[in-house]
Amino acid sequence: MEEKMKARAVIFTGNSISHEDARKILRANYQPPVRRFQLEEFVQKGYKVIGIIDGIFFDRAAVGHREILSALDAGVKVIGGASMGALRASELDTHGMIGVGKVYEWYRDGVIESDDEVAVSTNPDTFEPISVPLVNIRETLKAALASGLLNKEEHSGLLQLAIDTYYPDRSYLGLVKEGAKRELIPEEKKKIILDFCASNEVDVKREDAILVLETVKKLIEEI
């Protein structure tokens, strides 16, 4: 029984996928987005698998490289993807951290570099995002381009506008309204573009979060 307990996973998430939805995929100890100095506690408790999806950004509270390296040195498998997990995995995969998903690959390959690509403003009680991450906007605009709804110029203009927007202020409504105001898109296309983004959003972070959970599931079975 004790060995089984040690094989259980702890997963830090809440923005990219809710704890409720995550539990439908994997039974685990779900924690809010990871902060600095939290990992050691779970290593000490005997957890053998740590999944990092979401985490605190932009300040000293962000999970540090050293604590992940310390967990790896203790024989713990650390998997990252979707958000903070993807960023840290791209920096520490050569040390044994396992990275999964598109966002991890983009960071690893230098397609994206800034932390604010995955950062969102969140509801402090539920951790639910109340802004849209730039990685999702990128893929959704790409889908709009592929569908013929946007031409190349409109796509480039809206993408640059999204990049230039402060991360807590990113939303499809704001993007389309400001895009029309700056004449990056015609006024008459505003509603159809907004409808497309609302019904066809490519939620890369959620897709990658599911991949993290599926990877953790496999690793637990191997222990």
Side-chain angles (χ1 to χ4, degrees):
M1 184 68 181
E2 190 179 339
E3 282 305 308
K4 196 173 179 184
M5 283 289 289
K6 285 183 180 178
R8 274 191 14 226
V10 58
I11 314 259
F12 296 92
T13 191
N15 306 152
S16 300
I17 188 169
S18 69
H19 289 182
E20 185 185 358
D21 286 352
R23 283 192 186 99
K24 293 172 188 171
I25 298 166
L26 173 71
R27 285 183 65 185
N29 178 353
Y30 287 98
Q31 295 289 318
V34 68
R35 292 175 174 272
R36 184 156 291 192
F37 305 132
Q38 278 190 301
L39 298 190
E40 179 62 22
E41 175 194 342
F42 293 96
V43 173
Q44 292 296 330
K45 284 180 178 175
Y47 283 87
K48 293 297 183 191
V49 183
I50 295 174
I52 300 175
I53 295 173
D54 297 308
I56 304 299
F57 277 95
F58 300 131
D59 58 19
R60 290 179 188 171
V63 63
H65 299 81
R66 269 188 200 170
E67 22 182 346
I68 295 173
L69 291 171
S70 180
L72 292 168
D73 287 344
V76 177
K77 291 186 183 297
V78 186
I79 299 93
S83 192
M84 173 59 81
L87 182 62
R88 288 292 181 262
S90 73
E91 295 160 337
L92 297 173
D93 52 5
T94 55
H95 296 275
M97 185 173 177
I98 300 165
V100 296
K102 268 188 188 177
V103 180
Y104 156 70
E105 289 170 1
W106 290 340
Y107 274 124
R108 180 196 65 194
D109 299 340
V111 176
I112 59 175
E113 293 176 354
S114 173
D115 292 10
D116 94 327
E117 288 274 353
V118 289
V120 288
S121 185
T122 61
N123 178 318
D125 299 317
T126 63
F127 317 114
E128 190 180 358
I130 49 179
S131 63
V132 182
L134 184 52
V135 287
N136 286 11
I137 293 174
R138 281 183 183 279
E139 288 298 278
T140 304
L141 291 180
K142 194 192 286 182
L145 175 65
S147 75
L149 179 58
L150 295 178
N151 62 37
K152 284 185 179 179
E153 196 178 342
E154 291 165 344
H155 168 267
S156 298
L158 287 178
L159 178 57
Q160 192 57 53
L161 177 58
I163 291 167
D164 294 341
T165 302
Y166 186 39
Y167 80 90
D169 301 329
R170 288 177 183 140
S171 71
Y172 292 112
L173 177 61
L175 184 65
V176 169
K177 279 176 75 175
E178 187 63 22
K181 189 175 165 187
R182 296 190 188 192
E183 300 184 343
L184 301 171
I185 53 169
E187 187 72 29
E188 60 272 18
K189 278 176 85 169
K190 255 179 21 179
K191 188 180 184 305
I192 192 169
I193 294 170
L194 191 58
D195 287 347
F196 179 91
C197 292
S199 55
N200 298 279
E201 184 189 14
V202 184
D203 194 344
V204 190
K205 284 180 70 171
R206 183 184 171 85
E207 290 169 7
D208 283 5
I210 291 169
L211 254 181
V212 171
L213 298 176
E214 288 171 348
T215 305
V216 168
K217 199 173 185 178
K218 281 180 194 165
L219 287 170
I220 292 173
E221 288 164 2
E222 290 168 10
I223 292 173

